[in-house]
Amino acid sequence: MTQFDPSNSATEPIIIAQNVEKWYGNGFHALKGVSLKVYPGEVVVIMGPSGSGKSTFIRTFNALEPFQKGTITVDGIKLTHNLKNIDTIRSEVGMVFQQFNLFPHLTVMDNVTLGPIYVRGWNQKKSIEIATQLLERVGILHQAKKYPNQLSGGQQQRVAIARALAMQPKIMLFDEPTSALDPEMIKEVLDVMRGLADSGMTMVCVTHEVGFAKEVADRLVFMADGLLIEDTTPDVFFNNPNHERTKKFLSQILH
């Protein structure tokens, strides 16, 4: 496996995954000794065929998926079965899913302020101020009083991003955030993600959006069959990959 080293090696990684192994109950070996370091301010895009383990891998970073072997450290905190550690890590790691997972009975504003009020312990005034800024940032403040079912898929996903950002995380994880969207709605979500990358947010994104990966990623990671096959720059990944498995994948997604 080709390991990419950022030039700014003086900076400590904010995510360190070492030899992570995961089996499902049916004996399926989903992650086979996967290691990855992510540095503050980096945008790392993970690509790979369906079933390669990429979504499972990023869901181990905030304990949404348990793993059986290896270690994961997030912002200096080792991920263990200690619930306090898990809660601390989750408060620093925002996540946006393929499905929007908004509360249908709450307005857009209430969806975004819920976490800061009940998890961060902020008062309603502060939570609304932050939520207002974020909804404006993702271009959806005018929809603040609506309910999720009154919004398009792209709008709902932008609300989901604002909701994750409202917790003021140090890291944002994106698990195929555009795959459930109609084509015309994909751009509006990717534009928000581009803005986040430009602001210096540490991001790990599982996506098949080639244009976004070429334009925004600092590093491209390729996974297949539970293995991390390639870890390199977008230029090398798309133009001169090292591994035959990567070349085969690219031949299928690049037309």
Side-chain angles (χ1 to χ4, degrees):
M1 188 271 293
T2 312
Q3 184 70 41
F4 174 70
D5 249 342
S7 55
N8 186 10
S9 55
T11 307
E12 287 294 309
I14 195 165
I15 299 174
I16 304 172
Q18 294 181 300
N19 300 315
V20 176
E21 305 251 0
K22 175 175 176 65
W23 289 265
Y24 283 104
N26 60 3
F28 177 68
H29 198 178
L31 298 174
K32 303 171 182 175
V34 182
S35 297
L36 180 71
K37 292 180 181 178
V38 179
Y39 290 79
E42 268 197 306
V43 179
V44 176
V45 167
I46 302 178
M47 289 187 144
S50 179
S52 60
K54 53 195 188 297
S55 292
T56 300
F57 184 44
I58 70 162
R59 289 165 70 98
T60 62
F61 295 170
N62 57 0
L64 288 180
E65 287 280 2
F67 57 98
Q68 285 77 38
K69 286 186 179 179
T71 61
I72 295 176
T73 304
V74 178
D75 197 24
I77 301 169
K78 190 172 180 181
L79 191 54
T80 65
H81 293 300
N82 183 317
L83 292 179
K84 188 165 181 246
N85 278 13
I86 290 173
D87 286 343
T88 303
I89 287 172
R90 284 182 178 167
S91 71
E92 303 297 346
V93 180
M95 187 154 192
V96 178
F97 300 89
Q98 185 174 345
Q99 303 299 333
F100 322 120
N101 294 343
L102 299 174
F103 293 107
H105 63 291
L106 298 180
T107 64
V108 165
M109 179 61 77
D110 288 342
N111 264 284
V112 177
T113 58
L114 192 68
I117 290 171
Y118 289 99
V119 180
R120 290 287 194 204
W122 296 350
N123 62 42
Q124 192 171 27
K125 183 172 181 286
K126 179 180 179 181
S127 299
I128 289 174
E129 283 175 3
I130 298 288
T132 299
Q133 292 168 13
L134 290 170
L135 289 171
E136 187 168 24
R137 184 175 176 182
V138 302
I140 209 163
L141 181 58
H142 60 292
Q143 310 279 16
K145 293 182 179 178
K146 289 188 176 179
Y147 291 87
N149 66 1
Q150 297 174 287
L151 306 180
S152 71
Q155 290 171 331
Q156 290 186 60
Q157 193 62 293
R158 284 187 279 159
V159 174
I161 293 172
R163 179 181 60 180
L165 291 173
M167 294 291 288
Q168 300 192 334
K170 293 182 179 178
I171 301 161
M172 284 286 286
L173 307 177
F174 293 86
D175 186 6
E176 303 203 32
T178 59
S179 62
L181 300 177
D182 293 332
E184 67 270 18
M185 296 174 187
I186 290 173
K187 182 180 181 297
E188 62 191 57
V189 173
L190 293 180
D191 283 346
V192 171
M193 293 171 65
R194 285 186 183 94
L196 271 183
D198 289 343
S199 74
M201 173 66 76
T202 305
M203 297 165 60
V204 183
C205 313
V206 172
T207 182
H208 289 297
E209 299 295 336
V210 171
F212 174 82
K214 286 181 175 178
E215 180 187 340
V216 178
D218 296 300
R219 285 159 61 202
L220 243 300
V221 169
F222 176 67
M223 292 183 66
D225 305 315
L227 297 166
L228 197 157
I229 306 288
E230 194 133 16
D231 180 355
T232 188
T233 62
D235 182 51
V236 171
F237 180 82
F238 286 110
N239 298 310
N240 190 27
N242 287 291
H243 296 268
E244 287 303 318
R245 186 67 185 84
T246 314
K247 293 173 184 175
K248 181 183 176 186
F249 173 75
L250 289 172
S251 72
Q252 292 167 340
I253 66 166
L254 299 177
H255 302 293

